[in-house]
Amino acid sequence: MPLLEVQDIHVAYGELEVVRGVSFTVERGEIVTILGSNGAGKTTTLRSIVGLLRSTNGDIRFDGKSIRNAAAHEIANLGLALVPEGRQLFPEHTVRENLELGAYRRLRSGKRSEFVDSLDEIFELFPRVRERLEQPAGLLSGGEQQMVAIARALVSRPQLLLLDEPSLGLAPIMVRSIFDAFVKLKSRGLTILLVEQMAWLGLEICDRAHVLEGGTLALSGTARELAYNPRVIEAYLGTAL
Amino acid sequence: MYFFLQITLSGIATGAIYGLIAVGYSLTFMTTKVLNFALGMWVMLGGMLTYSLHVEYGLNPLFVLPIVTLVLFALGVVAERFSVFPFLRAGSDVWVMSTLAVGFLMIDLAEIIWGRNPTPVPPFIGKDAIYIGQVSILPQQLLIILVACVMFLALDVFYRRTLLGKAFRAVAHSGDVSGLMGINTRRIQALSYAMASALAGIAGFLVVPLTLAEPQMGTVLGLKAFAIAIIAGLAAPRGILICGLMYGAFEALVSGYLYTGIRDILGFSLMILALFLKPEGVFGRRQEERV
Ligand SMILES: Nc1ncnc2c1ncn2[C@@H]1O[C@H](COP(=O)(O)OP(=O)(O)O)[C@@H](O)[C@H]1O
Ligand SMILES: [Mg+2]
C-alpha cells in the first residue's frame, strides 16, 4: 500500500477549477517530485493534501486512510508536514518557539525530552539553526528561514514531508545544502513529496516525478525517464541549462 | 497638588477596570479578528452574579470570584458556539450583530431576574479609606488595581511562556500555518472567546461595589474599554493596561478640573483621532512581511 494515494482530485477557487483530476502515489521511502511552471496548480495540490483546501471529487488516502475531509491539524497529527511556499515562519516568535510549535502535539503530550532529541538531529543537519535559536524568526536571512521552516516540519517527526518550492529565492549555495539535507533525510527513511519549478533540481534527487500542466498531470515517470524526455528538456530543462 | 494626586489615583483604579475589559477585546481579535461588541454586558453579568452570590446568599468574595469566572467562561463557550462560530464558518460578518444581540438579550434577562433598580454592593475589604499622606484610596480601589496588574502579568506569562499562549500568538499570525503545526485553531477560537468572557466577569466582580448592581452597569464601561483597546492597539495587550490606566486618570482629571459633561466627548474623540493617526494603535505594530 502506498504511503500517500491521491486519486482524481479536483480543486477550485470559486468557479475556477485549477486542479483537474490529479492522481499519483508516493511509496514509503521515496522522493517524488512534482514539476510545473508558475500557476500550474502545484501549491493548490499540496494545500489540498494537507487539508487547507478541499477537493470536490476523488479521494486522498494516507496510510490507507482517507484524509479528504479531515481538518489540517488532524492531518498534521497523522504525520504529514508541509513546508509551505515562501516558508511562512511565525516572524515574531523566536526560532526556538517556531520549533516548539512544530512539535506542538508532542509537547502537549508532555514529551519534552523527545523534542530535545529532535533538536539535536536538527542541529546536526543545519548547524546554523542552533546559533539563531533565540532570535525572532522574521529577522533571519531567507536561507536561514528556509532551514528553520524545514526544521519546524521535521521536529513533528513526520512520516511524509511535503515541500513547496524550497529553492525559491535562495542563493545557489543555500539551495545546495538544503537539497543535500533532503538526500540525507531520505537515507534515514523519510518519505518526501517535493514540488519544484527548477526541474533539474527536482529531478536530480527524486525517484519518480510528475509534470503538472494546467491542473493535470501531463507526464509521469522515473527521474531518469523524465530527465531524458524531449518535452521536459525543451519546456523545463532547456532554458535553464 | 494633593487634589491632583487624589483624582489621578482614583482615576487609575477605574482605568484598571477599563484595561481588564479592553484586553478581552484583544484576546478574541488576535486569534480570530472577532470582537465581542457586547463585552460590557458580560461585565454586567459578572457584577449581577456577584451581587446575588455575595449580597443575597452571603457568600465570601473569595468563593464568589472563582464561581463568577467559571460561569462566565462556560457561558462564553456556549455563546461563541451558537452566536459567532456559525457565522465565522460561513465567512460572514454577521457576528458583529449577533454578539450585540446576545448582549441585549443579557440585559433583558437581567432586568427580568434582578429588576431595574440599582442596588449597592458593599466593598469586599473594608469601607474605610486608606491614607497615604493626605491622599486617600478605598481598599476596593486598591484591590482593583492589584488584581488587574496580576491578571495582566498572568496574561503576559501566558502569551510568552506557555505553549498554549505561543499557539494563541501563532493563530493570530496565521490560522492556516497554525493548522499545519497540528494546532486546533477552532478550539483556540472558542477558548479565546471564553477567556475574554471570564475576564469581563472578573471586571464585573471587581467593579460592582463601586458602581451599583443594575442591568445597565456594564454598557458604558464596555464602550470605554473598546475605545481604549482601539487607542492602544487591539494586538498590543501590554499597551492596553498602560492605556487603560492613563485613560482612567485622564478622565478623572477632566471631570475634576473641567467638568464631567465633556469627559466622554474628549475620550471618544481621542479614539477617533487615534484611528486616524495610527490605525494599528499607539502600541501596535504594523504587520510587515519579510520575503
Ligand atoms: N487564492 C486563490 N484564489 C484564486 N485563484 C488562485 C488562488 N491561488 C491560486 N490561484 C490560481 O490557481 C492557479 C494555480 O495556482 P498555484 O496552485 O499557486 O500554482 P503553482 O503553485 O503551480 O504556481 C493559478 O492560476 C493561480 O492564479
Ligand atoms: Mg506555488
Side-chain angles (χ1 to χ4, degrees):
Chain A
M1 187 201 331
L3 184 60
L4 179 74
E5 222 175 331
V6 174
Q7 275 176 5
D8 191 34
I9 58 168
H10 293 251
V11 189
Y13 296 105
E15 294 286 290
L16 184 71
E17 192 170 272
V18 298
V19 169
R20 300 175 292 158
V22 167
S23 306
F24 63 93
T25 60
V26 181
E27 301 287 339
R28 269 163 235 277
E30 65 173 355
I31 298 183
V32 172
T33 296
I34 296 177
L35 304 172
S37 50
N38 219 348
K42 305 182 296 298
T43 297
T44 306
T45 303
L46 283 189
R47 287 174 71 84
S48 61
I49 294 172
V50 296
L52 294 177
L53 292 170
R54 292 273 162 251
S55 167
T56 48
N57 276 82
D59 201 5
I60 302 170
R61 272 201 287 278
F62 182 70
D63 212 3
K65 190 176 161 228
S66 175
I67 55 170
R68 179 158 89 92
N69 293 315
H73 72 272
E74 292 167 337
I75 294 177
N77 290 336
L78 285 175
L80 285 89
L82 170 68
V83 179
E85 190 173 53
R87 307 177 276 273
Q88 303 273 349
L89 293 178
F90 300 111
E92 292 180 6
H93 288 67
T94 63
V95 169
R96 183 192 293 279
E97 288 174 331
N98 269 276
L99 298 179
E100 284 173 352
L101 290 166
Y104 187 73
R105 179 178 53 103
R106 288 161 68 211
L107 287 175
R108 285 219 73 184
S109 43
K111 295 177 182 152
R112 174 131 314 245
S113 66
E114 271 185 40
F115 173 65
V116 174
D117 290 347
S118 35
L119 275 192
D120 286 335
E121 287 165 30
I122 297 299
F123 297 152
E124 192 212 319
L125 207 59
F126 302 124
R128 290 168 76 162
V129 171
R130 188 203 292 269
E131 297 154 31
R132 297 278 182 255
L133 223 43
E134 309 306 333
Q135 289 182 17
L139 298 182
L140 270 52
S141 74
E144 289 168 339
Q145 287 196 12
Q146 189 59 271
M147 289 176 180
V148 175
I150 296 166
R152 185 178 64 174
L154 289 175
V155 288
S156 70
R157 299 242 165 117
Q159 292 191 60
L160 175 64
L161 180 67
L162 304 100
L163 298 130
D164 196 348
E165 300 208 41
S167 72
L168 201 72
L170 301 189
I173 184 161
M174 196 57 87
V175 172
R176 190 71 272 151
S177 69
I178 282 172
F179 274 67
D180 285 348
F182 299 156
V183 174
K184 248 187 237 170
L185 288 167
K186 180 193 156 153
S187 73
R188 291 177 197 169
L190 187 64
T191 311
I192 296 177
L193 175 59
L194 170 69
V195 155
E196 248 316 323
Q197 238 186 94
M198 307 283 178
W200 72 93
L201 271 175
L203 288 178
E204 194 183 303
I205 64 163
C206 75
D207 300 289
R208 291 186 300 127
H210 305 276
V211 176
L212 192 61
E213 274 174 7
T216 55
L217 290 185
L219 285 168
S220 300
T222 63
R224 173 167 283 270
E225 281 165 5
L226 288 190
Y228 292 106
N229 182 303
R231 238 181 100 193
V232 174
I233 292 172
E234 192 194 335
Y236 300 98
L237 293 172
T239 50
L241 288 176
Chain B
M1 192 60 196
Y2 144 77
F3 185 60
F4 175 83
L5 285 178
Q6 181 66 63
I7 293 180
T8 308
L9 198 58
S10 54
I12 283 179
T14 321
I17 289 291
Y18 294 155
L20 214 49
I21 307 167
V23 81
Y25 290 109
S26 111
L27 260 172
T28 53
F29 181 81
M30 280 182 53
T31 52
T32 43
K33 301 277 179 287
V34 162
L35 292 165
N36 179 355
F37 282 104
L39 219 43
M41 285 71 150
W42 290 76
V43 174
M44 178 275 292
L45 194 62
M48 298 310 287
L49 269 178
T50 302
Y51 162 75
S52 277
L53 294 171
H54 181 48
V55 178
E56 293 183 337
Y57 294 98
L59 208 57
N60 187 310
L62 276 178
F63 297 110
V64 176
L65 179 60
I67 295 176
V68 167
T69 310
L70 283 178
V71 168
L72 275 271
F73 184 92
L75 287 176
V77 171
V78 175
E80 199 275 348
R81 178 64 189 79
F82 293 104
S83 73
V84 179
F85 174 58
F87 303 113
L88 273 190
R89 183 172 49 186
S92 105
D93 291 336
V94 176
W95 55 263
V96 175
M97 303 302 224
S98 62
T99 59
L100 273 174
V102 169
F104 291 127
L105 189 77
M106 277 164 38
I107 290 184
D108 286 346
L109 283 176
E111 285 178 353
I112 293 170
I113 298 172
W114 288 286
R116 288 188 188 190
N117 289 336
T119 323
V121 173
F124 305 139
I125 46 164
K127 287 191 180 65
D128 301 328
I130 302 166
Y131 278 88
I132 313 162
Q134 278 187 303
V135 182
S136 70
I137 186 166
L138 293 171
Q140 185 71 25
Q141 291 178 316
L142 211 56
L143 183 75
I144 288 175
I145 297 174
L146 218 71
V147 173
C149 288
V150 168
M151 296 304 299
F152 268 88
L153 218 63
L155 203 64
D156 212 58
V157 170
F158 171 72
Y159 275 132
R160 304 273 143 205
R161 298 259 175 268
T162 69
L163 186 65
L164 189 62
K166 289 169 192 175
F168 265 60
R169 288 194 288 131
V171 174
H173 178 72
S174 162
D176 273 3
V177 183
S178 301
L180 294 178
M181 305 295 111
I183 296 169
N184 185 344
T185 50
R186 169 66 205 125
R187 186 175 297 164
I188 286 190
Q189 286 169 10
L191 195 57
S192 65
Y193 202 88
M195 281 167 65
S197 310
L199 270 180
I202 293 171
F205 164 85
L206 287 170
V207 82
V208 71
L210 295 185
T211 61
L212 293 166
E214 50 118 356
Q216 289 293 351
M217 66 172 272
T219 313
V220 175
L221 283 176
L223 278 176
K224 287 186 181 168
F226 182 68
I228 284 154
I230 297 289
I231 293 170
L234 280 164
R238 282 184 191 179
I240 283 176
L241 176 64
I242 299 167
C243 218
L245 298 178
M246 280 168 51
Y247 190 96
F250 161 82
E251 213 184 55
L253 288 171
V254 169
S255 32
Y257 284 103
L258 302 171
Y259 84 109
T260 311
I262 63 164
R263 184 184 71 184
D264 297 346
I265 300 175
L266 278 177
F268 288 110
S269 309
L270 216 61
M271 172 178 86
I272 293 167
L273 193 70
L275 275 174
F276 267 118
L277 296 180
K278 212 158 177 286
E280 68 278 14
V282 176
F283 294 90
R285 266 174 302 167
R286 256 196 202 104
Q287 291 287 335
E288 277 173 67
E289 290 289 322
R290 221 180 117 107
V291 188

